[in-house]
Amino acid sequence: MAFFKRKVQFNDDLGFGSNPVTKNQRMLNPDGSANIERTGLPWFKFDDTYTRLVTMSWTRFFFVILLAYLVVNTIFAVLYNVVGIENLDGAKGVTLRDQFFDAFFFSAQTISTVGYGHISPQGFITSVLAAFESMLGLLAFALATGLLYGRFSRPTSKVSFSKKMVIAPYEKRHGLMCRLVNLRRNQLIEVEVQMVMSYNETVDGKHVRKFYPLALERNKIGILSLNWTLVHPITEDSPFFEKSLTELQHAEVEVFVILKAFDDTFSQTIHTRTSYQDEEIEMDAKFEKMYYHNEEGKMVMDYSKLDKITRTV
């Protein structure tokens, strides 16, 4: 039996194809990334280096920078020792270990153009090597600075969604609801939201994945200053009409929430998204109010109540 009996024309599959979901695997992770395991790609692509460095986590980024710094200085330290440690005037190391570290710290001073003067190059080959390293250092630090600027200047969204959706009373009926807030102090304007339901259906004996746009009570607001509760009214035209949690689970329902807004600080459009599985939908529940007026009459937002829900029955 079809989950939704009405004939619906909706060709936009959000890029996930029509293959059915199995074992209740979600198609979109809560953080908005696609729940897809990619294979067959090369481990390293030079033309994709910038994207990976800008989008990776800060911990991994600083680890890569530190690793590159240590590797480059180690290579030049070995080269200085190969040319001859005696060509580094001021190097006092006697053992191979001490000579290596003399060359290593001289390399660190050269590549950063610090030049304390304690150790200096002597001879043509060593001077050429030091000059080449200083030029390489200027290029490397300029590249690292550009990467840092790119990471800081890249507009990102700090819109947070509630962990669960609820089916709560709405205008003598019920509505499917989720809630979102902007965790930053900046202004998001011209905020638009699209909500799409995805579910498994049997068509001509084959299991396929269907997508259905959910009509919202309001899909656009001018300014997101408080929280925004998205409401899909459950009318006779809604695929959620008179559906139980068991039926939702059988169809392996997943609801996508896709947001687009204009960031007034960066003057750029930002995008964010999340999804909810059938097990993350609470029946007969509603969200607690997040804002109130203090004694001075000023509006106060309590972000700790983003996920607070109460039972209606």
Side-chain angles (χ1 to χ4, degrees):
M1 181 182 295
F3 180 77
F4 187 60
K5 297 180 180 179
R6 295 175 181 272
K7 186 176 180 181
V8 180
Q9 296 294 330
F10 185 59
N11 297 321
D12 187 2
D13 64 1
L14 303 180
F16 291 103
S18 59
N19 292 326
V21 169
T22 59
K23 298 181 179 179
N24 207 28
Q25 287 289 321
R26 68 192 317 144
M27 304 178 73
L28 196 69
N29 294 317
D31 62 358
S33 61
N35 188 25
I36 298 174
E37 181 178 348
R38 295 176 171 86
T39 61
L41 293 174
W43 180 77
F44 176 77
K45 291 177 64 177
F46 181 78
D47 57 351
D48 198 38
T49 304
Y50 177 79
T51 302
R52 295 188 65 178
L53 289 172
V54 170
T55 57
M56 67 175 52
S57 66
W58 280 103
T59 302
R60 183 174 296 182
F61 174 75
F62 282 119
F63 175 77
V64 170
I65 295 297
L66 178 62
L67 181 63
Y69 181 77
L70 294 176
V71 168
V72 170
N73 282 299
T74 299
I75 292 174
F76 276 99
V78 172
L79 291 176
Y80 286 125
N81 277 275
V82 170
V83 172
I85 195 66
E86 65 275 5
N87 292 313
L88 291 180
D89 188 25
K92 299 178 181 180
V94 177
T95 64
L96 289 177
R97 182 179 69 90
D98 292 339
Q99 291 175 355
F100 171 80
F101 280 113
D102 282 342
F104 180 87
F105 290 119
F106 170 73
S107 172
Q109 296 170 22
T110 303
I111 201 171
S112 61
T113 67
V114 173
Y116 290 117
H118 176 65
I119 302 177
S120 59
Q122 300 294 325
F124 179 75
I125 297 179
T126 307
S127 298
V128 169
L129 190 60
F132 176 74
E133 185 181 9
S134 63
M135 181 191 69
L136 183 65
L138 289 174
L139 296 176
F141 280 103
L143 178 62
T145 303
L147 288 171
L148 278 173
Y149 176 78
R151 292 180 65 90
F152 275 110
S153 61
R154 185 168 63 98
T156 56
S157 168
K158 282 297 181 181
V159 174
S160 182
F161 295 89
S162 58
K163 294 180 180 179
K164 291 183 177 290
M165 301 190 89
V166 299
I167 294 181
Y170 174 74
E171 292 186 354
K172 299 181 180 180
R173 293 179 179 268
H174 284 83
L176 178 70
M177 307 177 188
C178 71
R179 189 156 63 179
L180 60 92
V181 293
N182 180 22
L183 298 182
R184 285 183 173 151
R185 298 180 182 273
N186 63 338
Q187 292 292 327
L188 296 182
I189 61 178
E190 298 179 2
V191 187
E192 297 183 35
V193 172
Q194 181 184 14
M195 188 179 291
V196 179
M197 186 192 73
S198 174
Y199 59 96
N200 287 343
E201 189 174 67
T202 302
V203 179
D204 297 329
K206 294 178 60 178
H207 293 288
V208 295
R209 195 69 175 171
K210 292 287 188 176
F211 297 86
Y212 180 76
L214 300 179
L216 295 176
E217 169 230 6
R218 180 180 301 173
N219 65 349
K220 184 176 181 179
I221 59 174
I223 299 177
L224 180 59
S225 55
L226 299 172
N227 67 279
W228 184 11
T229 300
L230 306 177
V231 181
H232 163 63
I234 301 179
T235 63
E236 289 82 357
D237 295 327
S238 171
F240 285 89
F241 184 69
E242 296 183 346
K243 290 294 188 298
S244 64
L245 279 179
T246 303
E247 291 176 294
L248 298 180
Q249 292 169 0
H250 180 73
E252 302 201 49
V253 167
E254 185 172 354
V255 179
F256 305 103
V257 182
I258 305 170
L259 180 143
K260 179 177 72 172
F262 186 81
D263 192 319
D264 194 39
T265 301
F266 292 99
S267 296
Q268 292 189 16
T269 301
I270 61 171
H271 300 265
T272 188
R273 56 210 163 271
T274 191
S275 75
Y276 299 91
Q277 289 185 292
D278 48 74
E279 60 190 23
E280 295 168 324
I281 300 176
E282 293 284 344
M283 292 281 193
D284 299 319
K286 65 178 182 179
F287 289 112
E288 292 186 9
K289 201 171 184 178
M290 288 186 64
Y291 55 88
Y292 61 93
H293 291 87
N294 60 15
E295 297 178 353
E296 299 176 353
K298 190 173 183 179
M299 188 76 73
V300 179
M301 275 281 293
D302 187 355
Y303 289 87
S304 65
K305 291 187 176 182
L306 174 62
D307 300 310
K308 296 292 185 180
I309 59 176
T310 55
R311 294 291 172 183
T312 57
V313 294

